[in-house]
Amino acid sequence: MYDIKSKKAEEFICDSEIRSTMQYATENSRNSELIEQILEKARACKGLTHREAAILLECNQPEYIEKIFALAREIKHRFYGNRIVMFAPLYLSNYCINGCVYCPYHAKNKTIRRKKLSQEDIRNEVIALQDMGHKRLALEAGEHPLHNPIEYILESIKTIYGIKHKNGAIRRVNVNIAATTVENYRRLRDAGIGTYILFQETYNKENYEMLHPTGPKSDYAYHTEAMDRAMQGGIDDVGIGVLFGLETYRYDFIGMLMHAEHLEATYGVGPHTISVPRLCMADDIDTADFKNAVPDDIFYRIVAILRIAVPYTGMIISTRESRECRGKLLEIGITQISGGSRTSVGGYVHEESEQENSAQFDIADHRTLDEIVEWLLDLDHIPSFCTACYREGRTGDRFMSLLKNGQIANCCLPNALLTLKEYIKDYASPQVREKAEAMIKRLTETIPNEKARATAQRYLTAIENGERDFRF
Ligand code: SAM
């Protein structure tokens, strides 16, 4: 029985509700009156229910598809301006005891090279990341109680926050590790993590169990209820996602929105971010073995509809996607992208040859961070290295209220410009510096509040003179 506030996976992600939503969406996919109403509701930034969003996804009429894209662009702009937050993944260890059939870390894979970073290795990786200009990381690790226990993750977080190299600093560490206990989530919170990220992979229980035949991750309920435990452990920024390509996109799109609704209804705050990874080729993994690949045109529609369905949720795209695809997605909803990423363990210090492959998947966007920053500037997006909200305690519903109150222009815009200024002073190539300076000058003038504008100008001068780490 569907129960949005239940703590049981099979009740808040109810298979029969997903299936009846799919049927309802098909039946109404040409219902112009209803579609117009849904678009009107979305335009008022009220978000959409999973049922409403499912109708939009099913609707194939070109004029409505265009309207959806236009609205996604508008909402993206209204809430996030043209800022794009930058981050990089840091792979700590690929030891894993799970049997996930789509992931090269699976325990039976004998060809992948197993590696785990020591604290000294982490130090070196982080210095390499700081020297690129990164301020925000997403930690990644396989699940292995002996190699990667929670103590190892906690120690690694402490190491990362402690590294001060030149003007560099990692100011926000997000964590993507296997589902764990309330107690361990509390320890992660106490270690000062930003977002706890966990992908559901698929919400379809039957398929989930086939895709995860062995290991702790095979427990669908334990995995699906992880965000509830994270919230109970005091983490109020959680990031959800599905791995598109494992299950039909219709099923997982609805399941993911039901998950977001459950968190909002139960804890008063929805997910901080939604990630939209698509399955990639990897060591011992052939995407041709999976029958649910999502074509680009549908993928763009998924992102646009998510944007209007959950306007207050950040959306992340990784280097699994190509430059062209990422460029399109930035326009219609994405708010965070990774840059200069390596998915191999130790890959920032030592680029691997094919023989020593420890990577998680093949990336599609190989550009350096500086090249991505330049590309964003050319597209008139502001590359932002901001980590201010979390450091000012604006997490969970406090972050959401900043968005809802429209304080973005007086707070997030200056923070983006200040961190971009730091980036160009410390790391950028000359042509990026020139382009960014012009953008900073132009956009500082547009900060609406006079006092905030003056403060931003003062901070920019201080950064020019060698000071760092200002924030609103
Ligand atoms: N072990 C943790 C877990 O179970 O959630 C950490 C996650 S893993 C390092 C990060 C994510 O990579 C997975 O959740 C999965 O969605 C994704 N992934 C695994 N295999 C992939 C592949 N072949 N292509 C693209 N993404 C993949």
Side-chain angles (χ1 to χ4, degrees):
M1 186 56 122
Y2 179 44
D3 178 358
I4 189 172
K5 284 193 180 181
S6 166
K7 302 275 167 61
K8 287 200 184 125
E10 284 178 69
E11 291 176 355
F12 65 82
I13 305 293
C14 173
D15 178 71
S16 62
E17 171 58 19
I18 296 181
R19 290 184 193 282
S20 81
T21 300
M22 281 158 61
Q23 195 184 338
Y24 167 77
T26 312
E27 285 162 8
N28 285 288
S29 64
R30 300 189 68 80
N31 182 340
S32 303
E33 200 182 325
L34 184 55
I35 292 169
E36 292 285 0
Q37 270 172 24
I38 295 171
L39 289 174
E40 214 34 60
K41 182 179 172 198
R43 194 164 291 117
C45 295
K46 292 187 176 143
L48 299 177
T49 65
H50 61 275
R51 287 202 161 223
E52 292 163 340
I55 292 180
L56 296 189
L57 189 59
E58 216 47 53
C59 161
N60 280 321
Q61 289 151 273
E63 72 269 27
Y64 285 127
I65 295 177
E66 264 325 299
K67 277 190 180 175
I68 290 167
F69 282 130
L71 190 52
R73 274 189 206 99
E74 192 186 312
I75 289 180
K76 157 103 200 271
H77 208 263
R78 200 177 318 161
F79 284 100
Y80 302 91
N82 50 351
R83 292 167 301 112
I84 300 292
V85 169
M86 309 301 301
F87 77 99
L90 174 59
Y91 284 79
L92 295 180
S93 165
N94 60 9
Y95 285 94
C96 195
I97 56 169
N98 287 311
C100 317
V101 303
Y102 51 85
C103 179
Y105 289 6
H106 69 83
K108 286 197 188 133
N109 186 357
K110 298 284 177 251
T111 55
I112 194 166
R113 173 139 174 237
R114 302 286 169 177
K115 284 189 188 170
K116 170 189 169 179
L117 299 180
S118 67
Q119 298 306 306
E120 191 50 34
D121 296 332
I122 292 174
R123 225 188 115 68
N124 294 332
E125 287 281 286
V126 169
I127 287 174
L129 283 156
Q130 288 186 3
D131 281 343
M132 289 158 71
H134 279 295
K135 300 281 188 267
R136 175 189 291 244
L137 299 184
L139 292 194
E140 308 277 341
E143 179 166 15
H144 199 296
L146 296 179
H147 284 291
N148 327 326
I150 191 72
E151 290 72 21
Y152 168 70
I153 305 292
L154 294 168
E155 189 187 0
S156 304
I157 295 169
K158 198 167 171 208
T159 299
I160 294 167
Y161 278 134
I163 298 166
K164 298 278 172 283
H165 163 72
K166 299 184 185 162
N167 281 337
I170 299 302
R171 298 173 181 158
R172 178 174 178 133
V173 177
N174 298 332
V175 174
N176 180 7
I177 59 162
T180 186
T181 60
V182 174
E183 178 51 29
N184 285 345
Y185 285 124
R186 198 164 288 128
R187 294 167 81 185
L188 286 168
R189 184 208 54 192
D190 293 345
I193 68 161
T195 313
Y196 172 66
I197 301 166
L198 182 70
F199 300 157
Q200 178 63 29
E201 320 301 4
T202 176
Y203 285 95
N204 183 330
K205 181 169 187 275
E206 203 181 319
N207 192 11
Y208 182 96
E209 286 169 353
M210 283 192 296
L211 292 162
H212 304 92
T214 55
K217 195 165 169 178
S218 61
D219 185 338
Y220 174 83
Y222 190 73
H223 189 79
T224 311
E225 293 158 11
M227 293 315 189
D228 294 78
R229 292 193 300 282
M231 292 272 185
Q232 285 152 28
I235 297 176
D236 52 8
D237 279 354
V238 299
I240 63 173
V242 292
L243 184 53
F244 282 106
L246 298 180
E247 170 54 61
T248 64
Y249 67 83
R250 293 180 170 88
Y251 194 103
D252 276 340
F253 173 84
I254 297 167
M256 188 152 67
L257 284 174
M258 284 168 69
H259 198 179
E261 287 165 358
H262 161 70
L263 295 172
E264 171 102 47
T266 315
Y267 305 99
V269 44
H272 186 68
T273 54
I274 289 182
S275 298
V276 286
R278 282 194 288 185
L279 188 68
C280 301
M281 295 294 279
D283 183 79
D284 203 38
I285 305 297
D286 187 346
T287 48
D289 295 339
F290 297 82
K291 302 295 168 226
N292 290 309
V294 181
D296 287 348
D297 59 332
I298 300 286
F299 191 50
Y300 299 147
R301 283 164 61 185
I302 288 173
V303 169
I305 300 168
L306 285 173
R307 177 68 299 141
I308 67 180
V310 284
Y312 307 116
T313 303
M315 278 171 50
I316 303 178
I317 198 85
S318 74
T319 54
R320 288 176 183 86
E321 300 298 339
S322 67
R323 168 193 174 129
E324 191 205 358
C325 176
R326 299 206 316 160
K328 289 210 170 110
L329 295 173
L330 289 177
E331 294 292 329
I332 55 175
I334 294 296
T335 57
Q336 276 191 42
I337 63 170
S338 48
S341 305
R342 298 274 195 289
T343 60
S344 51
V345 179
Y348 293 106
V349 169
H350 170 73
E351 198 158 353
E352 293 187 329
S353 66
E354 262 185 37
Q355 288 73 27
E356 53 179 349
N357 184 23
S358 72
Q360 204 200 3
F361 49 81
D362 297 347
I363 62 179
D365 188 341
H366 293 271
R367 289 172 294 168
T368 64
L369 180 61
D370 202 56
E371 284 165 345
I372 291 189
V373 168
E374 182 169 13
W375 171 71
L376 290 173
L377 292 166
D378 289 341
L379 295 174
D380 204 31
H381 294 291
I382 315 171
S384 170
F385 295 86
C386 179
T387 53
C389 275
Y390 136 86
R391 296 167 79 217
E392 287 292 316
R394 292 190 295 257
T395 61
D397 53 356
R398 292 173 298 282
F399 167 78
M400 296 291 170
S401 67
L402 180 79
L403 269 186
K404 290 178 188 173
N405 295 337
Q407 274 311 306
I408 297 288
N410 288 316
C411 188
C412 302
L413 171 62
N415 280 331
L417 298 175
L418 294 173
T419 55
L420 178 60
K421 176 80 178 175
E422 287 187 336
Y423 174 79
I424 60 171
K425 285 298 290 175
D426 292 334
Y427 309 106
S429 58
Q431 79 267 18
V432 169
R433 207 172 299 146
E434 200 177 309
K435 289 178 186 181
E437 279 294 9
M439 176 182 271
I440 293 168
K441 192 160 183 282
R442 173 166 57 86
L443 294 183
T444 308
E445 305 293 325
T446 69
I447 299 171
N449 180 295
E450 203 178 316
K451 203 164 151 228
R453 195 175 343 125
T455 309
Q457 255 141 3
R458 191 156 43 80
Y459 288 166
L460 286 167
T461 309
I463 295 171
E464 181 64 38
N465 294 331
E467 289 183 64
R468 295 290 177 270
D469 203 10
F470 296 96
R471 61 178 178 267
F472 283 79

